[in-house]
Amino acid sequence: MDILTRFELRKIIRRKSFYIGILVLVAVAILLSVLLVTNIQMTGKEAKFLNGVAAIQLEREYNRQLAGPLTIAAMEAAVRRHQDLLHDPSNLDEKGEMTVEANAKYDTRDNQIQFLIMDAFSPAGEHDYDLIDKINPEEMKDFYQKRLEKVQVFLNNNDSDNNYTDKEKAYFIKMDEQIPVPFQMDYVTGWENVFENLPSLFLVIAFVIALSLAAVFAGEYQRGTDAIVLSTRYGRSKAIVAKLKASFIVSTGLIIFSIAIYTFLILGVFGFDGSGAHVQMIKFLAPVPYTVIETYLWTVLIGSLACLMAGALTLWFSSRMSNSFSVIVAAGVLLVGTQFIPDSKNSRLLGYLTDLLPGNMFDSFRKITGYEIFNIGGQLIPTYKIMVVFSIIAIALLIPFTYRAFKKHQVV
């Protein structure tokens, strides 16, 4: 690292705003983790209500027992175990329903596989919790076909805002048909909770980046030091490059630091199990052939690029505005305000284009596991892949614009 970059790096990390941002990121990561842990609830083996860590440990124990390929035989066995319980009068109350004690002692351990069966066989748009009571175990041979039928119903839903073309429907059907079966089951609650609050974390990261970078150029204008910087030998060349390099080093460091703390805090409590499971264990109708860890890496990649794009935009604002406060306000509006842009009911393309704004890219898990697609010159490309390409292009374009804006600045 050259001397100028180290100098600019020190300027950024010595500001109070940087340390405040670090504290905010740590606090948010801890808060999000604590909220997820305390919200976990289930009934224990002795029909006693459990929450927090005790509930997590029991659910992990049960789901580990189910880990493995989601075969027809495994589903048939789960259905038969449940129905055998219902055929034993000692497990039923006066209304003929399974007692809380029997459910907690024998049936709860199969909840994960039961919910997957309900997802596949319940009528579209419904979740029939009594389905396991009455379904024929031999129907499990149709499980994967029923899932594909659910996908077709979704794609052909006239009430959907998506209005898919025949070509797009065929594209998604082909994607779903190419997902390897049987699905790999495992305990995935930890990863599911990681995905749940990642959008909020990315938003906070992007805002802290904006807070840290707002003064990179605008601070020079505000302090009146722009005249000194621009009049030096390297003021209109290497000094600007150093500012840009230092800014992206700080941004990347904040992203890695925050995601690492958040992920390890949650998985440290919930467990690291399930990384090799199919993402369909979390999002049943997801059209992608990814494992949980592959989906996580895609999610982190897109969210991180969105944060870097927010940082690049902040630098551009900073090169164009006269004070740091204006830059922070502009960045805040960009990150938060764009999330309130309503979806267009007349143009699906317009809605997808707004999704390419940084503030709308943070919920990347939903984009990866959803049915959103761009049609570019007749070529169909999933939205989440467009997000990656668009972010890289946007960052690459913003850097020279920022460089030129500060270089051409006229000192008053």
Side-chain angles (χ1 to χ4, degrees), residues 167 374-380:
K167 184 178 180 179
F374 274 78
N375 188 332
I376 302 176
Q379 183 72 28
L380 299 180

Side-chain angles (χ1 to χ4, degrees), residues 64-215:
R64 279 175 173 173
Q65 295 171 5
L66 297 173
L70 183 59
T71 61
I72 305 305
M75 290 184 281
E76 287 179 349
V79 172
R80 287 195 173 95
R81 284 194 295 270
H82 175 81
Q83 294 181 354
D84 287 345
L85 290 173
L86 293 176
H87 294 151
D88 185 346
S90 65
N91 296 324
L92 306 179
D93 59 20
E94 61 277 4
K95 296 181 180 179
E97 299 175 349
M98 189 181 298
T99 62
V100 175
E101 290 76 15
N103 177 270
K105 190 173 183 178
Y106 304 112
D107 203 43
T108 301
R109 65 184 68 247
D110 281 332
N111 275 356
Q112 185 183 31
I113 198 167
Q114 289 175 357
F115 285 133
L116 290 168
I117 293 170
M118 292 179 207
D119 284 335
F121 289 92
S122 294
E126 300 180 22
H127 206 80
D128 185 359
Y129 290 96
D130 297 324
L131 182 141
I132 303 295
D133 298 350
K134 55 198 176 187
I135 196 169
N136 187 331
E138 294 181 0
E139 291 184 52
M140 294 303 103
K141 67 181 185 299
D142 299 322
F143 175 84
Y144 291 103
Q145 181 58 38
K146 287 291 185 181
R147 181 189 170 276
L148 285 176
E149 290 174 7
K150 280 284 187 75
V151 171
Q152 292 172 339
V153 169
F154 171 77
L155 294 173
N156 289 290
N157 184 1
N158 292 328
D159 295 330
S160 172
D161 291 334
N162 292 310
N163 299 318
Y164 297 103
T165 65
D166 290 340
K167 184 178 180 179
E168 290 168 343
K169 293 174 186 177
Y171 178 87
F172 281 122
I173 292 297
K174 185 178 180 180
M175 282 182 64
D176 276 284
E177 289 176 341
Q178 291 178 340
I179 298 173
V181 295
F183 294 154
Q184 184 69 26
M185 282 188 68
D186 205 340
Y187 170 74
V188 294
T189 303
W191 291 100
E192 185 176 5
N193 281 287
V194 168
F195 289 127
E196 182 175 337
N197 281 338
L198 266 178
S200 300
L201 181 68
F202 283 134
L203 176 61
V204 176
I205 293 172
F207 187 77
V208 170
I209 288 174
L211 191 68
S212 301
L213 304 186

